[in-house]
Every structure is written in C-alpha cells, then in structure tokens.
Amino acid sequence: MGMDIYDAYFEIIVKDNEGTFLKLFPRKDNGSDIDINKVFKTLESKGLTEYNADIIKESVKNLEDEKEIKISTSIIGNVNESFEINISKDRLEAFIRFFPPIGNGEKITRDFLISELDKKNIIFGIDIELINQIIKNKEYYKDYIIAKGKKVIDGIQPEINYFFSLNLDGKPMVNEDGSVDFHSLNIINNIKKDDLLAQLIPGQEGETGTDVLGNEIKPKKIKPMVLKYGKNVRISDDKLNLYAEKDGFVIVEDDKIVVYDCYEVAADVDSSTGNIVFDGTVIIKGNVRTGFTIKAKGDIEVYGVVEGATLISENQVILRRGMQGMGKGIIQAKGNLISKFIENSTVKVGGYIHSDAILHSNVTAKGEIIVEGKKGMVTGGEVRSGVEIRTKILGSHMGTITNVAVGIDPSVVDEYNQINKELIEIKEEMNKMDQIINLLKTRQIKNGTLEPDKIQMLQNATRNKIFLEGKLKTSNRRFEELSEELENKNAGRIKVMNIIYPGVRVTIGNVKYFIREEQKYCSLYKDGADIKIASYV
C-alpha cells in the first residue's frame, strides 16, 4: 500500500558526459522541507565528494516548484537500488521508501528486503503480498506501509449511572420572564419507594495489541467497582441496581447511597433553604419565615415560630411555638394539628386540633378542636369542627365577633356552599345560551337561513345548553343530598370551661344561636330546632 508524498524530497540523476544532477520536489500542504544535511550525506554515501554545495543550499531554501539542478561535473558510478525503513512513534506501522539505482546498479531482491526487516526486528504484521508486488513494480520516493501492528483495544471501565442529581447547587430558579424565584431552590432529591436510584454498568475487558516489533501492548486495566449503599436502600440480586426502600430523599454520604425518610433543617426556612418539598417527614429546628412553603408527605414539625408561611402535610403538623400568620399563614393537614397557638391564620385539617389559643383565624377540623392550657382562648375569626369545640374562653370581653360551628363535617359544608355557587353560575350560563338560541332561531325564521358562522354559533350554543342541563341535574341531585345531610345532623357540642362572651355566634348543625349575655361553665348542644345551654360536663 502506497502513501501520498507530502514531504519534499530529491532524486539523484546521472547524465553521461554532463555530470550529476539533483531533481528537487517541493513539499505539499504541511509536509516537511528537504533536510540539506541529508542531501550532503546521501551524495557522499554514493561516492560523490565534489559538488556545488552553495547551489544546493540556495535551491533547497527557495524551493517552490519542481526543479533540476546540476551539482557536479563528476559522475557517480554504479549505485545499487536502496531503501530506508522508518517506524512510527507508536510502533504500529513500518514504512519503506525506495531509491532508484544509478547506472548499472542492482535491484533489491525479496529475500534481501525480508532479511533487512528482520535485522530491524520488524517481525509482526509484515505485508508479504505488498512486498511481492513492489519487488516487481514500485514507485521510488514513495512511502509504503510494509508492516502493521495490531492496535490495542482498551476495555470499557465500569460506571455508575445515578438516577438523581449529584449537584444540588441550591441556586434560585429563574422564571420564564427572567425574574428570580428565591423561594424555589434545588436542594432535595425526592424519591419514592422502589424508585431506581443507581445502576452499575459492568466494565468490559480490552484486547491486547502487538506492535511491528512483536511487543505486546497491554490494554488499560479495568478498575473494579461496586455499588455502595446504606440506610433504606436495597440492592438487586445481580448487584447491579439500587432501589429505595422508603419514600424520602436520597443523598450520597461517605460514598454510599442513602435514603432518609426525615428531612431536617437545622436553622430557619428562609432564602437560604427556599421552599421545602419532601416525600417524608420534615423537621425544622428554627423558624419558618413569611412567604415560604413546606410540603411533606409525612409529618411537619417546627421547633420555632411559623410566620406568614404555608405548611401542607399529608399527615400531621406539630408547631412547638405556634403560628403568627399575619393574615398570610396557611396550614393544611390530612391528619392532626398540634400548635402552641394559632393567630391570624387559615387552617384546615382532617383530624383534630389541639392548641393553647386560636386568635382571629379561620380554622376547620373534621375532628375535635381542643383549646386548653394557660390561655385556653378562642377569639375572633371562624372555628369549625365536625365533632366538638372545647375551650376555656370563647370570645372576648370586648365583644369580638367570633363564629364557632360544630356538628357537621366542615368539608360537607364547604362542598354544599361550593355547589350552591355552581348552581347559580350554571343557571346564569343557561340563560345566556337560551338568549343566543332564541335570537338566532328568530333570525333564521325571518331570513329563511343563517350565515355559516351563525349556524356554527347556534350549534355550539345548543351543545352547551345540553351539557349544562346534564351538569345542572347532577349538581341538583348532590345539593339535595347535602341539604338532607345537613338537616339531619344533630350531633356536636361546644364546651366552655370558663366563660362565653357576647359577640359569639354559635352554629350546631343547621341551627344558629347568638350569645347576648355572658355564660359560664356551660355546654351548648342542639335539641330539635333549638340550641340548649347546659352545665359543663
């Protein structure tokens, strides 16, 4: 196999009765220039000691085009065909370049060439077929790849693919409009039970190579790798996959993959932490600042004060120092709420509430609401329980309007009010459809036809009316069911261990009662269509 010549090169030409000439060939592209010392050395090796060195230097220095120069009147005698062998730096290729004989010089034989290769220790990957070809027919001053080694094939190192982020930078999220949301920081890798956490891709051994000198080229060693894991993580039988044993968050700790079902913040929830969204329990050792949100699949427990923040839990919420919501605070929990106090906040829970004081807040619980302790006070706002409200003080001596309701699941009341609102909206929308339909039909009768866009409008209005009629029927049925449920609810009590002040509005079931005089140590309950006041029991 021949290779194109990019380096500059020279050829010695002997002309009878004229002398010795050099034919110079310039380099191509990024090839190398002629080495002037090599020229002198070659001439002297051929027995030519008298030559014009200056013209050679000048011609080589300014060589741009192919040229022939006379360098001596002397004539070189017979010189045999010759060659030079070079080996690439990586020893994976051996090149041979032939030089023509001069005069009646002899040509190189196959056996001589092979013996010369052996002398240079070129013993692997020799192209015998190429040698046979170039012995018969060759191009001079052209490189042939006479031998090729076998390239080493490096193995593939094992690697671990992680199915969670390893670089939680905690940087604020940039919104589409370019604004920066300092509440949304990327600090938690939430995962669910049985999620794939990491996968080990086994390595593959490489293949040994051989250079043209017969030396083995060893592939890079494969480094052994195993999956390391800790708490709440399991490994597959083939040791190649790691899975979460629980809902929670995943981290790499001491080179081990670990899952925790409880996320703890040692200080405040603020701009340094951003909002917390976690699939387990969240414990906050500090305060929760205004404007921030905590969402948890498990419990939320806060050791400090919660300001105008939002807490959403699929289990229970525990506030050791209470909530000063400043009119912005929100708590939503499917379980219970235990809070030192609740002030200027909106609370909705699916279990019970236990607090020392509820002040000027909108509070709803399916279970009982117990307000005891040193203060034991419910003042202002609206407090609703599906079962019972128990407190020391209800209302205030200043006559603060305080609404309390028991006996009906607050969620049922909310649904009742929502459907009532929807019924009004549906009827209004149906009236609009009737107006459109009547108007278009009147026009159709008058003109005998309608424009295509008006026909489409009539069809749309008719379809919407049919849809609204079905929706009205369904909503009416549900509204009647809820009305009956509210009508028949007689259970529920309000118990006051100390005093009820005027200004308190009591609702038990569907019956309302206004407190106009102070009442002490009493219990309020529904009896038929009335609310009765009895001694505290």
Side-chain angles (χ1 to χ4, degrees):
M1 179 185 293
M3 297 182 64
D4 291 334
I5 304 171
Y6 289 91
D7 293 344
Y9 65 97
F10 62 94
E11 181 180 347
I12 301 172
I13 299 173
V14 176
K15 297 181 180 181
D16 292 341
N17 302 321
E18 289 188 49
T20 300
F21 294 78
L22 276 183
K23 192 169 186 179
L24 306 174
F25 299 88
R27 66 181 174 87
K28 297 178 182 177
D29 298 331
N30 295 321
S32 302
D33 292 322
I34 294 172
D35 183 350
I36 194 69
N37 293 319
K38 188 174 182 180
V39 176
F40 297 154
K41 185 177 179 180
T42 302
L43 292 173
E44 291 167 7
S45 69
K46 306 296 184 184
L48 184 65
T49 55
E50 294 183 1
Y51 50 83
N52 191 335
D54 291 336
I55 195 171
I56 294 174
K57 290 179 181 178
E58 184 66 24
S59 298
V60 168
K61 181 180 179 181
N62 300 311
L63 182 62
E64 293 182 358
D65 299 309
E66 182 181 319
K67 66 170 64 173
E68 184 177 292
I69 58 172
K70 184 175 181 179
I71 60 171
S72 177
T73 55
S74 302
I75 295 175
I76 298 175
N78 296 330
V79 177
N80 294 333
E81 186 181 54
S82 61
F83 60 84
E84 65 178 16
I85 296 173
N86 293 300
I87 299 173
S88 62
K89 290 182 179 179
D90 59 10
R91 300 198 300 271
L92 287 174
E93 290 180 324
F95 304 93
I96 188 168
R97 177 180 290 193
F98 291 91
F99 304 99
I102 298 175
N104 296 320
E106 296 180 355
K107 290 199 171 185
I108 294 166
T109 64
R110 176 183 182 280
D111 292 342
F112 178 74
L113 176 54
I114 292 175
S115 67
E116 288 299 305
L117 290 172
D118 188 60
K119 286 179 183 178
K120 289 186 172 287
N121 297 317
I122 299 173
I123 60 174
F124 182 84
I126 296 173
D127 192 342
I128 298 298
E129 184 178 345
L130 176 63
I131 290 175
N132 292 334
Q133 290 176 3
I134 58 180
I135 289 298
K136 295 177 183 178
N137 182 27
K138 67 177 73 67
E139 291 184 53
Y140 293 110
Y141 306 103
K142 184 172 186 175
D143 288 327
Y144 292 90
I145 301 175
I146 201 70
K148 269 188 174 182
K150 177 187 175 185
K151 286 186 177 181
V152 65
I153 299 177
D154 285 325
I156 300 174
Q157 297 292 339
E159 64 175 327
I160 296 176
N161 290 335
Y162 295 92
F163 295 92
F164 59 91
S165 176
L166 296 176
N167 300 305
L168 297 176
D169 51 21
K171 293 180 179 178
M173 184 178 72
V174 179
N175 299 317
E176 290 183 1
D177 61 2
S179 62
V180 179
D181 184 357
F182 289 95
H183 293 87
S184 298
L185 304 182
N186 186 25
I187 61 172
I188 302 176
N189 282 312
N190 279 303
I191 51 88
K192 296 187 179 298
K193 183 181 178 182
D194 297 325
D195 276 357
L196 178 62
L197 304 178
Q199 187 175 63
L200 174 62
I201 308 300
Q204 295 181 16
E205 294 292 338
E207 293 183 18
T208 301
T210 308
D211 64 22
V212 295
L213 304 180
N215 301 312
E216 282 192 345
I217 308 171
K218 296 290 186 182
K220 293 178 181 177
K221 289 185 178 181
I222 302 298
K223 298 177 181 178
M225 187 177 288
V226 295
L227 290 171
K228 298 179 180 179
Y229 61 99
K231 187 177 180 181
N232 298 324
V233 178
R234 74 173 186 276
I235 194 165
S236 59
D237 292 339
D238 59 10
K239 309 297 183 186
L240 297 179
N241 298 287
L242 292 180
Y243 297 93
E245 286 274 73
K246 290 185 176 182
D247 291 355
F249 74 101
V250 59
I251 61 171
V252 177
E253 192 173 71
D254 298 328
D255 292 330
K256 293 180 181 179
I257 296 175
V258 182
V259 170
Y260 289 105
D261 57 357
C262 178
Y263 182 77
E264 185 173 306
V265 177
D268 293 349
V269 172
D270 53 20
S271 58
S272 67
T273 63
N275 297 331
I276 305 295
V277 180
F278 182 53
D279 289 340
T281 293
V282 175
I283 297 176
I284 310 299
K285 295 292 188 177
N287 304 315
V288 182
R289 298 301 183 185
T290 297
F292 290 89
T293 298
I294 300 175
K295 293 182 181 180
K297 289 289 183 68
D299 298 345
I300 296 176
E301 184 173 2
V302 181
Y303 281 68
V305 175
V306 179
E307 298 177 355
T310 298
L311 308 185
I312 301 173
S313 168
E314 293 192 15
N315 203 10
Q316 67 178 355
V317 174
I318 301 171
L319 308 182
R320 293 176 178 265
R321 292 182 59 191
M323 184 174 202
Q324 172 51 272
M326 297 180 285
K328 301 176 182 178
I330 296 173
I331 297 175
Q332 296 176 10
K334 290 184 178 180
N336 307 318
L337 168 62
I338 301 170
S339 179
K340 180 70 175 175
F341 70 92
I342 301 167
E343 185 172 356
N344 290 310
S345 302
T346 300
V347 176
K348 185 175 183 179
V349 302
Y352 66 78
I353 294 176
H354 199 295
S355 181
D356 187 48
I358 299 177
L359 307 173
H360 310 290
S361 296
N362 188 334
V363 176
T364 300
K366 283 190 175 183
E368 60 188 4
I369 297 176
I370 302 170
V371 185
E372 297 176 339
K374 290 183 179 180
K375 292 184 178 179
M377 177 188 300
V378 175
T379 300
E382 182 176 14
V383 179
R384 298 184 297 163
S385 166
V387 182
E388 178 178 288
I389 296 175
R390 188 160 76 244
T391 182
K392 286 183 178 180
I393 299 172
L394 185 54
S396 77
H397 67 278
M398 297 178 66
T400 304
I401 299 300
T402 305
N403 296 293
V404 290
V406 295
I408 299 175
D409 184 343
S411 64
V412 174
V413 176
D414 290 342
E415 185 183 0
Y416 174 87
N417 292 332
Q418 179 63 31
I419 291 179
N420 190 34
K421 181 181 176 183
E422 288 177 0
L423 285 171
I424 295 171
E425 292 173 351
I426 291 171
K427 290 174 183 176
E428 289 176 351
E429 192 66 23
M430 287 181 67
N431 286 334
K432 291 180 183 177
M433 294 302 107
D434 284 335
Q435 290 174 7
I436 293 171
I437 291 169
N438 293 333
L439 176 65
L440 292 174
K441 283 187 174 181
T442 300
R443 182 180 294 183
Q444 187 178 35
I445 292 170
K446 181 179 179 180
N447 299 330
T449 185
L450 287 173
E451 298 88 343
D453 61 324
K454 296 297 188 291
I455 293 174
Q456 184 66 46
M457 186 184 296
L458 178 59
Q459 291 172 345
N460 290 340
T462 304
R463 279 195 294 266
N464 287 340
K465 183 180 178 182
I466 294 171
F467 169 76
L468 290 169
E469 285 173 345
K471 190 174 180 181
L472 179 65
K473 185 177 180 180
T474 301
S475 296
N476 270 327
R477 188 185 305 118
R478 180 58 180 160
F479 187 74
E480 289 172 3
E481 291 172 355
L482 293 171
S483 297
E484 185 177 350
E485 185 176 349
L486 293 175
E487 185 69 28
N488 295 329
K489 285 285 185 180
N490 294 312
R493 282 180 177 266
I494 296 173
K495 296 181 179 181
V496 181
M497 298 170 63
N498 191 350
I499 187 169
I500 304 179
Y501 288 103
V504 174
R505 299 171 180 175
V506 176
T507 302
I508 302 178
N510 61 344
V511 180
K512 298 184 183 296
Y513 184 81
F514 296 90
I515 303 297
R516 293 181 172 83
E517 296 179 354
E518 289 185 5
Q519 302 286 338
K520 294 186 177 181
Y521 314 110
C522 59
S523 176
L524 288 80
Y525 64 95
K526 181 182 176 185
D527 183 9
D530 298 319
I531 291 178
K532 298 289 182 71
I533 301 176
S535 297
Y536 181 87
V537 290

